[in-house]
Amino acid sequence: MELLASASRVLRTYPLGETSLIAVLLTRERGLLRAVAKGARRPQSAVRAMLEPGAALDAVLYLRPRGLHLVKELSFRGPLPRPASDLEALALRLAPLELVLLTTQEGEAPAGLFDLLEDAFAADAAAGGIGWAAFFAFEAALLRVHGLGFELAHCGLCGRSLDPSRLRFLPGEAQFACPACGGEGLDLAPASADCLNAISLVRPSALAGRPLPAPVRRQVGRVLHLALSRHLPGYRLPRSLGMLGPARDMTAKE
Ligand SMILES: [Zn+2]
């Protein structure tokens, strides 16, 4: 069996049998891996406290050619995320983990994905919560990591330069369009267009903790939800965001 030592981030765990856990890890070296942590649910297990969603670990795994890998050793690579200050902060911390899990196949490691998730957690730690602007930057960057970044400079249909103050979004195509082509589309407020421009350029940590006015949050959240739904296989609205209730439901109509 091959031995792998890699910086890792815990995406989630599942119980296995009476006393074990399956840990789903995003590893720097090999992307998403599922590994059995034997006995991790025993009360005296030292590993139990490490396998929290979002925990930054150094993992040593036995890689098996098929089936689940095995955890050999785990150690903390950094402190556990501090307890979230409220439900929204918790949801925005869990959502990036869930998005990576939904949109990444076992053994798949798109270049930049590990560093992107690290950056999201750096933003969370720096600002006492990642905040909506940085979370949206994470979603935009997730599209870029998969080669699906969105085009805001030119109309997706006719190719003309776009005026950021007169931007439309076509839900069916999930593209930005000029007023002439995007007549049926969603009319984006200038503040939403500004936000979309900002998040398409920077890493999440550059916008750490920055709040967004509710109308911008709803509109940009909806655009990103539609773009991710249309373009990124496996994507669906994270359950963690769903728990914020209909007021935060990005699928809701304006
Ligand atoms: Zn056009």
Side-chain angles (χ1 to χ4, degrees), residues 177-213:
C178 68
C181 298
E184 301 287 293
L186 185 67
D187 198 7
L188 293 177
S192 299
D194 285 349
C195 176
L196 283 161
N197 269 301
I199 64 168
S200 70
L201 296 173
V202 300
R203 292 154 67 85
S205 56
L207 301 171
R210 193 172 303 180
L212 289 175

PDB file of all heavy atoms in Angstrom, residues 177-213:
ATOM      1  N   ALA A 177     -24.974  39.883 -20.301  1.00  0.00           N
ATOM      2  CA  ALA A 177     -25.294  40.369 -21.639  1.00  0.00           C
ATOM      3  C   ALA A 177     -25.537  41.867 -21.621  1.00  0.00           C
ATOM      4  O   ALA A 177     -25.815  42.462 -20.579  1.00  0.00           O
ATOM      5  CB  ALA A 177     -26.518  39.636 -22.173  1.00  0.00           C
ATOM      6  N   CYS A 178     -25.441  42.459 -22.806  1.00  0.00           N
ATOM      7  CA  CYS A 178     -25.750  43.882 -22.971  1.00  0.00           C
ATOM      8  C   CYS A 178     -27.275  44.048 -22.959  1.00  0.00           C
ATOM      9  O   CYS A 178     -28.007  43.084 -23.124  1.00  0.00           O
ATOM     10  CB  CYS A 178     -25.126  44.391 -24.263  1.00  0.00           C
ATOM     11  SG  CYS A 178     -25.894  43.704 -25.756  1.00  0.00           S
ATOM     12  N   PRO A 179     -27.759  45.286 -22.783  1.00  0.00           N
ATOM     13  CA  PRO A 179     -29.218  45.496 -22.732  1.00  0.00           C
ATOM     14  C   PRO A 179     -29.919  45.013 -24.009  1.00  0.00           C
ATOM     15  O   PRO A 179     -31.035  44.506 -23.942  1.00  0.00           O
ATOM     16  CB  PRO A 179     -29.355  47.012 -22.566  1.00  0.00           C
ATOM     17  CG  PRO A 179     -28.059  47.456 -21.961  1.00  0.00           C
ATOM     18  CD  PRO A 179     -27.015  46.531 -22.499  1.00  0.00           C
ATOM     19  N   ALA A 180     -29.255  45.130 -25.149  1.00  0.00           N
ATOM     20  CA  ALA A 180     -29.879  44.720 -26.413  1.00  0.00           C
ATOM     21  C   ALA A 180     -30.098  43.208 -26.461  1.00  0.00           C
ATOM     22  O   ALA A 180     -31.142  42.726 -26.896  1.00  0.00           O
ATOM     23  CB  ALA A 180     -29.010  45.156 -27.595  1.00  0.00           C
ATOM     24  N   CYS A 181     -29.118  42.444 -26.007  1.00  0.00           N
ATOM     25  CA  CYS A 181     -29.211  40.977 -26.055  1.00  0.00           C
ATOM     26  C   CYS A 181     -29.922  40.415 -24.840  1.00  0.00           C
ATOM     27  O   CYS A 181     -30.503  39.329 -24.904  1.00  0.00           O
ATOM     28  CB  CYS A 181     -27.820  40.346 -26.099  1.00  0.00           C
ATOM     29  SG  CYS A 181     -26.865  40.784 -27.548  1.00  0.00           S
ATOM     30  N   GLY A 182     -29.857  41.130 -23.727  1.00  0.00           N
ATOM     31  CA  GLY A 182     -30.330  40.563 -22.458  1.00  0.00           C
ATOM     32  C   GLY A 182     -31.694  41.062 -22.041  1.00  0.00           C
ATOM     33  O   GLY A 182     -31.993  41.144 -20.845  1.00  0.00           O
ATOM     34  N   GLY A 183     -32.527  41.384 -23.024  1.00  0.00           N
ATOM     35  CA  GLY A 183     -33.844  41.956 -22.735  1.00  0.00           C
ATOM     36  C   GLY A 183     -34.684  41.140 -21.763  1.00  0.00           C
ATOM     37  O   GLY A 183     -35.385  41.694 -20.914  1.00  0.00           O
ATOM     38  N   GLU A 184     -34.593  39.811 -21.861  1.00  0.00           N
ATOM     39  CA  GLU A 184     -35.380  38.938 -20.998  1.00  0.00           C
ATOM     40  C   GLU A 184     -34.694  38.683 -19.658  1.00  0.00           C
ATOM     41  O   GLU A 184     -35.281  38.080 -18.769  1.00  0.00           O
ATOM     42  CB  GLU A 184     -35.575  37.574 -21.686  1.00  0.00           C
ATOM     43  CG  GLU A 184     -36.276  37.637 -23.030  1.00  0.00           C
ATOM     44  CD  GLU A 184     -37.762  37.944 -22.859  1.00  0.00           C
ATOM     45  OE1 GLU A 184     -38.465  37.075 -22.319  1.00  0.00           O
ATOM     46  OE2 GLU A 184     -38.188  39.048 -23.252  1.00  0.00           O
ATOM     47  N   GLY A 185     -33.450  39.114 -19.558  1.00  0.00           N
ATOM     48  CA  GLY A 185     -32.628  38.716 -18.411  1.00  0.00           C
ATOM     49  C   GLY A 185     -32.890  39.534 -17.162  1.00  0.00           C
ATOM     50  O   GLY A 185     -33.716  40.453 -17.141  1.00  0.00           O
ATOM     51  N   LEU A 186     -32.150  39.186 -16.148  1.00  0.00           N
ATOM     52  CA  LEU A 186     -32.224  39.850 -14.854  1.00  0.00           C
ATOM     53  C   LEU A 186     -31.450  41.164 -14.950  1.00  0.00           C
ATOM     54  O   LEU A 186     -30.288  41.175 -15.360  1.00  0.00           O
ATOM     55  CB  LEU A 186     -31.563  38.911 -13.835  1.00  0.00           C
ATOM     56  CG  LEU A 186     -31.561  39.226 -12.357  1.00  0.00           C
ATOM     57  CD1 LEU A 186     -32.968  39.163 -11.790  1.00  0.00           C
ATOM     58  CD2 LEU A 186     -30.677  38.197 -11.646  1.00  0.00           C
ATOM     59  N   ASP A 187     -32.125  42.252 -14.583  1.00  0.00           N
ATOM     60  CA  ASP A 187     -31.505  43.569 -14.615  1.00  0.00           C
ATOM     61  C   ASP A 187     -30.666  43.734 -13.354  1.00  0.00           C
ATOM     62  O   ASP A 187     -31.196  43.701 -12.259  1.00  0.00           O
ATOM     63  CB  ASP A 187     -32.633  44.615 -14.650  1.00  0.00           C
ATOM     64  CG  ASP A 187     -32.136  45.961 -15.121  1.00  0.00           C
ATOM     65  OD1 ASP A 187     -30.964  46.048 -15.546  1.00  0.00           O
ATOM     66  OD2 ASP A 187     -32.928  46.915 -15.054  1.00  0.00           O
ATOM     67  N   LEU A 188     -29.347  43.870 -13.498  1.00  0.00           N
ATOM     68  CA  LEU A 188     -28.493  43.944 -12.315  1.00  0.00           C
ATOM     69  C   LEU A 188     -28.292  45.391 -11.882  1.00  0.00           C
ATOM     70  O   LEU A 188     -27.891  46.231 -12.683  1.00  0.00           O
ATOM     71  CB  LEU A 188     -27.138  43.300 -12.609  1.00  0.00           C
ATOM     72  CG  LEU A 188     -27.156  41.794 -12.848  1.00  0.00           C
ATOM     73  CD1 LEU A 188     -25.761  41.296 -13.197  1.00  0.00           C
ATOM     74  CD2 LEU A 188     -27.680  41.057 -11.626  1.00  0.00           C
ATOM     75  N   ALA A 189     -28.544  45.642 -10.609  1.00  0.00           N
ATOM     76  CA  ALA A 189     -28.301  46.968 -10.055  1.00  0.00           C
ATOM     77  C   ALA A 189     -26.801  47.263 -10.138  1.00  0.00           C
ATOM     78  O   ALA A 189     -25.988  46.346 -10.038  1.00  0.00           O
ATOM     79  CB  ALA A 189     -28.759  47.010  -8.602  1.00  0.00           C
ATOM     80  N   PRO A 190     -26.423  48.549 -10.321  1.00  0.00           N
ATOM     81  CA  PRO A 190     -24.996  48.881 -10.394  1.00  0.00           C
ATOM     82  C   PRO A 190     -24.190  48.346  -9.208  1.00  0.00           C
ATOM     83  O   PRO A 190     -23.060  47.883  -9.392  1.00  0.00           O
ATOM     84  CB  PRO A 190     -24.996  50.418 -10.421  1.00  0.00           C
ATOM     85  CG  PRO A 190     -26.319  50.769 -11.033  1.00  0.00           C
ATOM     86  CD  PRO A 190     -27.286  49.713 -10.575  1.00  0.00           C
ATOM     87  N   ALA A 191     -24.779  48.367  -8.016  1.00  0.00           N
ATOM     88  CA  ALA A 191     -24.039  47.869  -6.835  1.00  0.00           C
ATOM     89  C   ALA A 191     -23.787  46.362  -6.955  1.00  0.00           C
ATOM     90  O   ALA A 191     -22.744  45.863  -6.517  1.00  0.00           O
ATOM     91  CB  ALA A 191     -24.820  48.172  -5.556  1.00  0.00           C
ATOM     92  N   SER A 192     -24.737  45.640  -7.562  1.00  0.00           N
ATOM     93  CA  SER A 192     -24.539  44.196  -7.761  1.00  0.00           C
ATOM     94  C   SER A 192     -23.460  43.948  -8.805  1.00  0.00           C
ATOM     95  O   SER A 192     -22.624  43.053  -8.658  1.00  0.00           O
ATOM     96  CB  SER A 192     -25.842  43.529  -8.221  1.00  0.00           C
ATOM     97  OG  SER A 192     -26.846  43.693  -7.255  1.00  0.00           O
ATOM     98  N   ALA A 193     -23.485  44.761  -9.883  1.00  0.00           N
ATOM     99  CA  ALA A 193     -22.455  44.626 -10.921  1.00  0.00           C
ATOM    100  C   ALA A 193     -21.073  44.919 -10.347  1.00  0.00           C
ATOM    101  O   ALA A 193     -20.109  44.208 -10.632  1.00  0.00           O
ATOM    102  CB  ALA A 193     -22.766  45.564 -12.091  1.00  0.00           C
ATOM    103  N   ASP A 194     -20.982  45.958  -9.489  1.00  0.00           N
ATOM    104  CA  ASP A 194     -19.699  46.268  -8.827  1.00  0.00           C
ATOM    105  C   ASP A 194     -19.217  45.089  -8.008  1.00  0.00           C
ATOM    106  O   ASP A 194     -18.032  44.733  -8.031  1.00  0.00           O
ATOM    107  CB  ASP A 194     -19.860  47.476  -7.880  1.00  0.00           C
ATOM    108  CG  ASP A 194     -19.937  48.779  -8.645  1.00  0.00           C
ATOM    109  OD1 ASP A 194     -19.664  48.778  -9.868  1.00  0.00           O
ATOM    110  OD2 ASP A 194     -20.271  49.804  -8.009  1.00  0.00           O
ATOM    111  N   CYS A 195     -20.144  44.497  -7.258  1.00  0.00           N
ATOM    112  CA  CYS A 195     -19.788  43.365  -6.403  1.00  0.00           C
ATOM    113  C   CYS A 195     -19.311  42.197  -7.258  1.00  0.00           C
ATOM    114  O   CYS A 195     -18.291  41.566  -6.945  1.00  0.00           O
ATOM    115  CB  CYS A 195     -20.994  42.973  -5.555  1.00  0.00           C
ATOM    116  SG  CYS A 195     -20.709  41.510  -4.547  1.00  0.00           S
ATOM    117  N   LEU A 196     -20.015  41.915  -8.354  1.00  0.00           N
ATOM    118  CA  LEU A 196     -19.617  40.806  -9.232  1.00  0.00           C
ATOM    119  C   LEU A 196     -18.235  41.058  -9.829  1.00  0.00           C
ATOM    120  O   LEU A 196     -17.416  40.133  -9.937  1.00  0.00           O
ATOM    121  CB  LEU A 196     -20.652  40.613 -10.337  1.00  0.00           C
ATOM    122  CG  LEU A 196     -21.934  39.905  -9.872  1.00  0.00           C
ATOM    123  CD1 LEU A 196     -23.088  40.155 -10.835  1.00  0.00           C
ATOM    124  CD2 LEU A 196     -21.694  38.397  -9.720  1.00  0.00           C
ATOM    125  N   ASN A 197     -17.970  42.310 -10.202  1.00  0.00           N
ATOM    126  CA  ASN A 197     -16.635  42.651 -10.704  1.00  0.00           C
ATOM    127  C   ASN A 197     -15.573  42.401  -9.644  1.00  0.00           C
ATOM    128  O   ASN A 197     -14.536  41.804  -9.924  1.00  0.00           O
ATOM    129  CB  ASN A 197     -16.592  44.114 -11.159  1.00  0.00           C
ATOM    130  CG  ASN A 197     -16.949  44.244 -12.631  1.00  0.00           C
ATOM    131  OD1 ASN A 197     -16.291  43.663 -13.486  1.00  0.00           O
ATOM    132  ND2 ASN A 197     -18.012  44.979 -12.921  1.00  0.00           N
ATOM    133  N   ALA A 198     -15.859  42.857  -8.425  1.00  0.00           N
ATOM    134  CA  ALA A 198     -14.867  42.719  -7.338  1.00  0.00           C
ATOM    135  C   ALA A 198     -14.576  41.250  -7.058  1.00  0.00           C
ATOM    136  O   ALA A 198     -13.414  40.846  -6.957  1.00  0.00           O
ATOM    137  CB  ALA A 198     -15.381  43.412  -6.074  1.00  0.00           C
ATOM    138  N   ILE A 199     -15.622  40.433  -6.960  1.00  0.00           N
ATOM    139  CA  ILE A 199     -15.393  39.034  -6.565  1.00  0.00           C
ATOM    140  C   ILE A 199     -14.773  38.219  -7.696  1.00  0.00           C
ATOM    141  O   ILE A 199     -14.214  37.152  -7.448  1.00  0.00           O
ATOM    142  CB  ILE A 199     -16.679  38.341  -6.074  1.00  0.00           C
ATOM    143  CG1 ILE A 199     -17.711  38.253  -7.188  1.00  0.00           C
ATOM    144  CG2 ILE A 199     -17.234  39.022  -4.834  1.00  0.00           C
ATOM    145  CD1 ILE A 199     -18.871  37.355  -6.873  1.00  0.00           C
ATOM    146  N   SER A 200     -14.866  38.732  -8.921  1.00  0.00           N
ATOM    147  CA  SER A 200     -14.265  37.976 -10.024  1.00  0.00           C
ATOM    148  C   SER A 200     -12.757  38.219 -10.113  1.00  0.00           C
ATOM    149  O   SER A 200     -12.072  37.568 -10.879  1.00  0.00           O
ATOM    150  CB  SER A 200     -14.946  38.329 -11.351  1.00  0.00           C
ATOM    151  OG  SER A 200     -14.605  39.647 -11.731  1.00  0.00           O
ATOM    152  N   LEU A 201     -12.256  39.162  -9.312  1.00  0.00           N
ATOM    153  CA  LEU A 201     -10.846  39.556  -9.420  1.00  0.00           C
ATOM    154  C   LEU A 201      -9.984  39.119  -8.250  1.00  0.00           C
ATOM    155  O   LEU A 201      -8.768  38.999  -8.395  1.00  0.00           O
ATOM    156  CB  LEU A 201     -10.753  41.089  -9.534  1.00  0.00           C
ATOM    157  CG  LEU A 201     -11.378  41.706 -10.785  1.00  0.00           C
ATOM    158  CD1 LEU A 201     -11.368  43.225 -10.668  1.00  0.00           C
ATOM    159  CD2 LEU A 201     -10.636  41.260 -12.030  1.00  0.00           C
ATOM    160  N   VAL A 202     -10.579  38.914  -7.082  1.00  0.00           N
ATOM    161  CA  VAL A 202      -9.739  38.733  -5.882  1.00  0.00           C
ATOM    162  C   VAL A 202     -10.038  37.418  -5.183  1.00  0.00           C
ATOM    163  O   VAL A 202     -11.065  36.786  -5.407  1.00  0.00           O
ATOM    164  CB  VAL A 202      -9.939  39.895  -4.877  1.00  0.00           C
ATOM    165  CG1 VAL A 202      -9.556  41.218  -5.514  1.00  0.00           C
ATOM    166  CG2 VAL A 202     -11.360  39.934  -4.340  1.00  0.00           C
ATOM    167  N   ARG A 203      -9.090  37.043  -4.311  1.00  0.00           N
ATOM    168  CA  ARG A 203      -9.285  35.884  -3.460  1.00  0.00           C
ATOM    169  C   ARG A 203     -10.237  36.252  -2.326  1.00  0.00           C
ATOM    170  O   ARG A 203     -10.346  37.419  -1.956  1.00  0.00           O
ATOM    171  CB  ARG A 203      -7.938  35.459  -2.866  1.00  0.00           C
ATOM    172  CG  ARG A 203      -6.957  34.910  -3.879  1.00  0.00           C
ATOM    173  CD  ARG A 203      -5.512  35.114  -3.422  1.00  0.00           C
ATOM    174  NE  ARG A 203      -5.164  34.329  -2.245  1.00  0.00           N
ATOM    175  CZ  ARG A 203      -4.750  33.060  -2.312  1.00  0.00           C
ATOM    176  NH1 ARG A 203      -4.624  32.452  -3.460  1.00  0.00           N
ATOM    177  NH2 ARG A 203      -4.436  32.413  -1.220  1.00  0.00           N
ATOM    178  N   PRO A 204     -10.892  35.241  -1.732  1.00  0.00           N
ATOM    179  CA  PRO A 204     -11.840  35.528  -0.647  1.00  0.00           C
ATOM    180  C   PRO A 204     -11.236  36.372   0.470  1.00  0.00           C
ATOM    181  O   PRO A 204     -11.888  37.310   0.964  1.00  0.00           O
ATOM    182  CB  PRO A 204     -12.223  34.132  -0.133  1.00  0.00           C
ATOM    183  CG  PRO A 204     -12.033  33.227  -1.312  1.00  0.00           C
ATOM    184  CD  PRO A 204     -10.887  33.812  -2.091  1.00  0.00           C
ATOM    185  N   SER A 205      -9.980  36.091   0.852  1.00  0.00           N
ATOM    186  CA  SER A 205      -9.416  36.783   2.019  1.00  0.00           C
ATOM    187  C   SER A 205      -9.305  38.293   1.798  1.00  0.00           C
ATOM    188  O   SER A 205      -9.277  39.056   2.759  1.00  0.00           O
ATOM    189  CB  SER A 205      -8.059  36.189   2.384  1.00  0.00           C
ATOM    190  OG  SER A 205      -7.183  36.247   1.278  1.00  0.00           O
ATOM    191  N   ALA A 206      -9.266  38.730   0.533  1.00  0.00           N
ATOM    192  CA  ALA A 206      -9.210  40.172   0.264  1.00  0.00           C
ATOM    193  C   ALA A 206     -10.507  40.871   0.666  1.00  0.00           C
ATOM    194  O   ALA A 206     -10.531  42.089   0.832  1.00  0.00           O
ATOM    195  CB  ALA A 206      -8.923  40.417  -1.215  1.00  0.00           C
ATOM    196  N   LEU A 207     -11.593  40.092   0.818  1.00  0.00           N
ATOM    197  CA  LEU A 207     -12.885  40.679   1.168  1.00  0.00           C
ATOM    198  C   LEU A 207     -13.383  40.151   2.518  1.00  0.00           C
ATOM    199  O   LEU A 207     -14.571  40.230   2.831  1.00  0.00           O
ATOM    200  CB  LEU A 207     -13.920  40.348   0.073  1.00  0.00           C
ATOM    201  CG  LEU A 207     -13.578  40.838  -1.335  1.00  0.00           C
ATOM    202  CD1 LEU A 207     -14.545  40.264  -2.363  1.00  0.00           C
ATOM    203  CD2 LEU A 207     -13.609  42.359  -1.389  1.00  0.00           C
ATOM    204  N   ALA A 208     -12.461  39.628   3.322  1.00  0.00           N
ATOM    205  CA  ALA A 208     -12.839  38.959   4.576  1.00  0.00           C
ATOM    206  C   ALA A 208     -13.717  39.833   5.454  1.00  0.00           C
ATOM    207  O   ALA A 208     -13.386  40.985   5.712  1.00  0.00           O
ATOM    208  CB  ALA A 208     -11.588  38.567   5.349  1.00  0.00           C
ATOM    209  N   GLY A 209     -14.825  39.272   5.886  1.00  0.00           N
ATOM    210  CA  GLY A 209     -15.687  39.936   6.855  1.00  0.00           C
ATOM    211  C   GLY A 209     -16.468  41.107   6.306  1.00  0.00           C
ATOM    212  O   GLY A 209     -17.205  41.753   7.049  1.00  0.00           O
ATOM    213  N   ARG A 210     -16.303  41.397   5.022  1.00  0.00           N
ATOM    214  CA  ARG A 210     -16.994  42.567   4.475  1.00  0.00           C
ATOM    215  C   ARG A 210     -18.473  42.243   4.275  1.00  0.00           C
ATOM    216  O   ARG A 210     -18.816  41.297   3.577  1.00  0.00           O
ATOM    217  CB  ARG A 210     -16.365  42.986   3.152  1.00  0.00           C
ATOM    218  CG  ARG A 210     -16.829  44.360   2.703  1.00  0.00           C
ATOM    219  CD  ARG A 210     -16.067  44.847   1.510  1.00  0.00           C
ATOM    220  NE  ARG A 210     -14.612  44.899   1.730  1.00  0.00           N
ATOM    221  CZ  ARG A 210     -13.749  45.299   0.805  1.00  0.00           C
ATOM    222  NH1 ARG A 210     -14.180  45.653  -0.393  1.00  0.00           N
ATOM    223  NH2 ARG A 210     -12.466  45.327   1.064  1.00  0.00           N
ATOM    224  N   PRO A 211     -19.356  43.024   4.896  1.00  0.00           N
ATOM    225  CA  PRO A 211     -20.786  42.744   4.724  1.00  0.00           C
ATOM    226  C   PRO A 211     -21.278  43.293   3.385  1.00  0.00           C
ATOM    227  O   PRO A 211     -20.588  44.085   2.740  1.00  0.00           O
ATOM    228  CB  PRO A 211     -21.434  43.495   5.891  1.00  0.00           C
ATOM    229  CG  PRO A 211     -20.501  44.636   6.164  1.00  0.00           C
ATOM    230  CD  PRO A 211     -19.107  44.188   5.754  1.00  0.00           C
ATOM    231  N   LEU A 212     -22.441  42.863   2.977  1.00  0.00           N
ATOM    232  CA  LEU A 212     -23.055  43.387   1.758  1.00  0.00           C
ATOM    233  C   LEU A 212     -24.480  43.815   2.086  1.00  0.00           C
ATOM    234  O   LEU A 212     -25.157  43.142   2.862  1.00  0.00           O
ATOM    235  CB  LEU A 212     -23.112  42.297   0.679  1.00  0.00           C
ATOM    236  CG  LEU A 212     -21.810  41.862   0.013  1.00  0.00           C
ATOM    237  CD1 LEU A 212     -22.070  40.693  -0.916  1.00  0.00           C
ATOM    238  CD2 LEU A 212     -21.202  43.023  -0.760  1.00  0.00           C
ATOM    239  N   PRO A 213     -24.945  44.913   1.487  1.00  0.00           N
ATOM    240  CA  PRO A 213     -26.351  45.280   1.679  1.00  0.00           C
ATOM    241  C   PRO A 213     -27.250  44.133   1.196  1.00  0.00           C
ATOM    242  O   PRO A 213     -26.911  43.450   0.224  1.00  0.00           O
ATOM    243  CB  PRO A 213     -26.527  46.521   0.788  1.00  0.00           C
ATOM    244  CG  PRO A 213     -25.144  46.991   0.468  1.00  0.00           C
ATOM    245  CD  PRO A 213     -24.236  45.808   0.568  1.00  0.00           C
TER     246      PRO A 213
END
